[in-house]
Amino acid sequence: REKKELTVAFLGGSITQNPGWKDKVVQYLQEAYPQTIFHFIYAGIASLGSVPHAFRLQTDVLDKGRIDLLFVEAAVNDLVNQTPAAQQQKAMEGIIRHALTANPYMNIVLMAFADEDKTRDYDNGKVPAEVALHEQMAKHYKLSFINLAQEVQLRIANKEFTWKDDFKDLHPSPFGQEIYFQTIKTLLKNAARQYKREALTRIPLPAAKYKNVYDNGKYINVDKAASFKGFAVNANWQPGDRAGTRAGFVNVPVVEANRPGSSLSFTFTGNAVGIAVVAGPDAGIIKYTVDDKPAKIIDLYTRWSGGLHLPWYLVLADDLPHGKHVLKIGIIGQKNKASQGNACRIVHFLVNE
């Protein structure tokens, strides 16, 4: 109303990236506030959930302007990706604290979208764990929360429509996208009426609910790695096979190796570290250690890797003492029986500073 300028960001997975509810929200805001200059930041990337969001928030959203309104969704991909509950907690709370530290006046809308597993949970009288976490965070930080997963289940149970014929998929049909949009529009209309009665308020940060949350997640460039043995930086990586890629994870710098025995080190300052890799048909198995603690092994090959160089985010160590640490990564000889190779391709190092 005063500055006539507003920046709105959409942070989520493929349901946010794909055309649908987001575009309807953009059109609605422009029509509802025709005198306002809007800046929209589209930060939806397929396959990504709360952990990736926590570490990419700075680069993909906050570095692009002072955000006034932030939409966040992660409940579907956190389930699909089998993100550990403790990491979901640290990531979701970290996103909120990082965003509100950047702008204490930011409005944040948390959304839990629908999938068949969540519908089944509600049918059985169970609140899906991912939804419960979103709701818990919204209450703790006094944020808006839209439980679209529950709305869809209730309306299906009420025989208003069916999943098979109308909603169709976790990537909703146009019918489903309209349901999402109408609920978001209702929230925005109610908020507009409320703001006519209330002044914009700074949101105070309460004490964190969880320990060592990812509240200052950052991307660190792959050229910060050292002690290369077999690894090298490819300034413009492209796959040598016909497997698919995701925008933002092709034609970008990666540090890569494809032979067992290859290794590197990465020195960082913070309390958590990880890697964002492209995990394709030839993804290998790595061993890693932080500060020369006992080594751990992790398979980079995923159930989607056969036909896709999937962006895959792995927290390798957290709950570390704040300070300087050294991560060492090596490729081992064993590989997943479905994999065609031993490759490790790192797009970003992840650090909670």
Side-chain angles (χ1 to χ4, degrees), residues 158-265:
N158 199 42
K159 297 185 170 20
E160 295 181 34
F161 54 84
T162 68
W163 184 275
K164 179 183 176 183
D165 296 327
D166 302 301
F167 211 84
K168 295 188 177 180
D169 189 45
L170 59 82
H171 298 110
S173 64
F175 175 88
Q177 298 282 358
E178 183 67 20
I179 287 174
Y180 283 177
F181 164 61
Q182 289 297 334
T183 300
I184 295 167
K185 182 171 79 170
T186 299
L187 172 72
L188 294 172
K189 281 187 169 183
N190 289 342
R193 284 193 290 269
Q194 184 176 333
Y195 277 126
K196 288 180 180 178
R197 302 190 300 269
E198 299 177 5
L200 184 63
T201 56
R202 178 188 179 100
I203 300 174
L205 271 183
K209 192 169 183 65
Y210 297 103
K211 292 182 179 179
N212 296 323
V213 300
Y214 310 147
D215 58 352
N216 199 19
K218 300 285 177 64
Y219 279 162
I220 305 296
N221 291 338
V222 293
D223 61 8
K224 302 301 182 185
S227 305
F228 288 167
K229 178 185 175 184
F231 275 91
V233 175
N234 182 339
N236 188 40
W237 176 78
Q238 295 177 334
D241 54 28
R242 296 184 178 181
T245 58
R246 296 280 197 231
F249 295 87
V250 63
N251 301 316
V252 295
V254 306
V255 58
E256 65 176 337
N258 54 26
R259 291 186 178 180
S262 301
S263 61
L264 58 75
S265 68

Side-chain angles (χ1 to χ4, degrees), residues 7 9 11 41 43 53-54 56-68 70 94-103 106 108 215-218:
T7 299
L11 179 66
I41 297 170
H53 297 345
R56 69 189 186 92
L57 177 67
Q58 186 68 49
T59 298
D60 289 357
V61 177
L62 300 180
D63 284 349
K64 296 184 177 181
R66 177 185 164 93
I67 311 303
D68 301 295
L70 174 65
I95 292 164
I96 294 165
R97 296 185 72 83
H98 195 165
L100 292 177
T101 299
N103 177 13
M106 188 188 305
I108 300 174
D215 58 352
N216 199 19
K218 300 285 177 64

Side-chain angles (χ1 to χ4, degrees), residues 36-98:
T36 298
I37 299 170
F38 282 97
H39 305 279
F40 295 106
I41 297 170
Y42 303 113
I45 299 179
S47 305
L48 303 191
S50 61
V51 169
H53 297 345
F55 288 97
R56 69 189 186 92
L57 177 67
Q58 186 68 49
T59 298
D60 289 357
V61 177
L62 300 180
D63 284 349
K64 296 184 177 181
R66 177 185 164 93
I67 311 303
D68 301 295
L69 176 58
L70 174 65
F71 291 91
V72 182
E73 59 96 359
V76 171
N77 280 339
D78 277 354
L79 175 66
V80 172
N81 295 343
Q82 299 179 330
T83 306
Q87 290 186 15
Q88 287 186 45
Q89 292 163 354
K90 292 175 182 177
M92 285 303 302
E93 185 160 26
I95 292 164
I96 294 165
R97 296 185 72 83
H98 195 165

Side-chain angles (χ1 to χ4, degrees), residues 47 77 79-82 243 246 279-281 301-310 312:
S47 305
N77 280 339
L79 175 66
V80 172
N81 295 343
Q82 299 179 330
R246 296 280 197 231
Y301 192 90
T302 76
R303 57 176 163 147
W304 302 278
S305 295
L308 174 66
H309 288 277
L310 178 76
W312 197 240

